[in-house]
Amino acid sequence: MTSQKPYTIASASSGFMQDPPSLRNQYEDDIVLRNILKKTMPKSILDSIEPDLSRFGERVIGDILAMGDDVEDPNNYPRLKQYDAWCRRVDEITTAKGWKELNDVAAEEGLIAIAYERKYNEYSRIYQFAKQYLYSPSAAMYSCPLSMTGMIYKNGAARVIELLGTQEMKETIYSRLISRDPKLFWTSGQWMTERPGGSDVSRSETVAELVDPSTNTWSVSGFKWFSSATTADIAMLLARTVDPKQGTVQPGSKGLSLFVAKMRNPDGSLNGVHVHRLKNKFGTKGLPTAELELVGMKATMMGNPGRGVPNIASILNISRIYASLGVVSYLRRSLAIAKDFSLKRQVFNQTLDKVPLHVTTLAGLELTFRACIQIVFCCIELLGRAECQKATKEDLLLLRLLTPISKCYVCKIGVQAISEAMEALGGQGYMDDTGLGRLLRDGQVNMIWEGD
């Protein structure tokens, strides 16, 4: 006869408890990223930046992740207060404590500055994007205002002002956008989407009237339907210029000009901005996105009248590189969680990493990740060369071709892979506390932002 154990009812404290997956240093644990940097950067430069990347790889799973978790707490989602007790319009947007802390981290870590200091010439972009890749999955979409400031949305305000701005703009605005001092550091919003159209900016209804030719000051009025980074310090926007002699506007995209405006007046009041409501989105919950009405917003024209779209379009593709990087960084984080879970979860007297079907699934996700990150960093390498005038004609053609392909392929297949990584944890992966749901929701938006 075989002996049997006595039957007992397990309590919550005495029953089985699954060890959760854990994250290791996100730079040192990422052999793919490290090999890409080894391949694309001179050894002397890599030796110089690697200690910083290793330190940052630990920090992104420490205090930075805690800041991101604070932003993603539903109790801390952005809130809009339109009026004070005396019925005065205030339009105050309150964000999480972690949102403000992530701003300081971005400045201190040089997440914008690295690219524009160009200490490492064409390799500075690779260094910057490597840090952004490590930062993004922990930062609860604070990468969005950063991207508008220095990396995407037409390469952000910093790049546009660097190329088109006056000396005064570079001294008063550009210097703040690339600052490493949290007290000086500014971020930028970008407002293009209107009710008549998103990608089709030719239907824009916002108009700008010249009020002071001596200072190039314009009064901008209109409605911006999807305005991210609403708590930023400045904004870049498109508006249809009014002919001062005829009082008419030119229809279509050729009538649009590019403007930069400070969000607030010297007294702290909003610069002609009315916040009608905050968007209720599928993801990016901690990111304040709003519907804005502009009523006489004072702005300065960038470049020549009617050249807004060309001024934007010439560097549009950088936004798509960032969208691709966002998805591939979320996939990497999802895969790291799924891999560690497979080492700890037992099924049929063995851990999941010993189950051939499960290993095949993880291997497929790994191959998808490796393909995606290679494409993205190829674009980044080409971008760095182009910005530092080191690119050949073939490099420029390849960058122009590969960037939209990367955006289309990486964002589409990457989000599907994140979903499958969630499945690899079974029902537990579907629990929001694991963080996979946030990565999937926030990754989804990159398929929509900036089109294909």
Side-chain angles (χ1 to χ4, degrees), residues 48-285:
S48 176
I49 68 173
E50 202 158 34
D52 181 54
L53 292 173
S54 181
R55 176 199 57 79
F56 195 56
E58 191 65 36
R59 188 180 184 190
V60 296
I61 57 173
D63 66 324
I64 293 176
L65 183 57
M67 296 170 194
D69 289 341
D70 179 69
V71 172
E72 286 295 322
D73 185 333
N75 294 316
N76 298 334
Y77 286 165
R79 289 179 171 82
L80 170 62
K81 176 183 175 182
Q82 289 182 303
Y83 298 93
D84 67 8
W86 308 100
C87 296
R88 294 175 298 187
R89 188 103 191 206
V90 290
D91 289 336
E92 293 177 355
I93 298 176
T94 304
T95 55
K97 178 174 179 284
W99 189 255
K100 302 174 181 66
E101 293 172 337
L102 288 167
N103 176 81
D104 293 349
V105 167
E108 294 162 354
E109 294 287 350
L111 295 184
I112 301 300
I114 289 171
Y116 295 94
E117 292 168 348
R118 297 198 175 94
K119 179 180 179 180
Y120 302 107
N121 298 314
E122 68 265 36
Y123 304 104
S124 296
R125 270 293 183 189
I126 301 176
Y127 179 20
Q128 180 209 19
F129 272 106
K131 288 196 76 169
Q132 182 63 32
Y133 165 85
L134 297 171
Y135 174 84
S136 186
S138 297
M141 287 306 294
Y142 200 80
S143 50
C144 176
L146 293 184
S147 66
M148 297 182 204
T149 301
M151 282 177 280
I152 68 169
Y153 284 105
K154 328 319 169 239
N155 202 11
R159 182 61 173 161
V160 173
I161 293 175
E162 184 181 42
L163 293 175
L164 302 175
T166 63
Q167 186 59 35
E168 181 184 2
M169 289 179 189
K170 292 176 181 179
E171 292 174 357
T172 60
I173 299 177
Y174 176 79
S175 61
R176 286 179 173 268
L177 296 174
I178 66 169
S179 176
R180 288 178 179 259
D181 184 346
K183 295 179 181 178
L184 298 176
F185 182 60
W186 278 2
T187 54
S188 174
Q190 181 268 95
W191 305 338
M192 290 178 63
T193 306
E194 299 189 16
R195 287 176 292 196
S199 299
D200 182 9
V201 296
S202 68
R203 302 180 64 196
S204 296
E205 297 175 327
T206 301
V207 297
E209 296 184 77
L210 183 62
V211 295
D212 189 345
S214 65
T215 58
N216 189 22
T217 301
W218 296 70
S219 176
V220 181
S221 298
F223 196 95
K224 297 297 183 179
W225 187 78
F226 200 95
S227 305
S228 291
T230 317
T231 55
D233 301 282
I234 67 166
M236 305 208 76
L237 60 150
L238 292 176
R240 198 171 301 284
T241 49
V242 178
D243 187 310
K245 296 181 179 179
Q246 304 294 330
T248 58
V249 297
Q250 182 177 354
S253 60
K254 292 183 179 180
L256 296 171
S257 301
L258 177 63
F259 294 86
V260 61
K262 294 179 181 179
M263 282 291 294
R264 294 187 178 275
N265 298 310
D267 64 1
S269 61
L270 284 168
N271 175 19
V273 177
H274 291 172
V275 184
H276 281 276
R277 67 166 178 150
L278 293 177
K279 294 289 195 180
N280 183 17
K281 299 163 292 180
F282 172 70
T284 67
K285 296 286 190 179

Side-chain angles (χ1 to χ4, degrees), residues 352-406:
L352 279 171
D353 67 308
K354 302 297 191 300
V355 178
L357 187 59
H358 193 82
V359 172
T360 300
T361 297
L362 293 182
L365 293 174
E366 179 74 19
L367 288 174
T368 298
F369 160 67
R370 292 189 179 210
C372 290
I373 193 173
Q374 292 286 351
I375 294 172
V376 174
F377 271 88
C378 180
C379 292
I380 294 167
E381 183 181 8
L382 293 169
L383 171 64
R385 290 183 203 164
E387 289 184 334
C388 293
Q389 290 77 51
K390 299 290 183 68
T392 64
K393 182 179 179 180
E394 289 73 19
D395 287 338
L396 296 175
L397 290 173
L398 183 57
L399 177 62
R400 183 176 180 182
L401 172 66
L402 191 57
T403 300
I405 292 175
S406 169

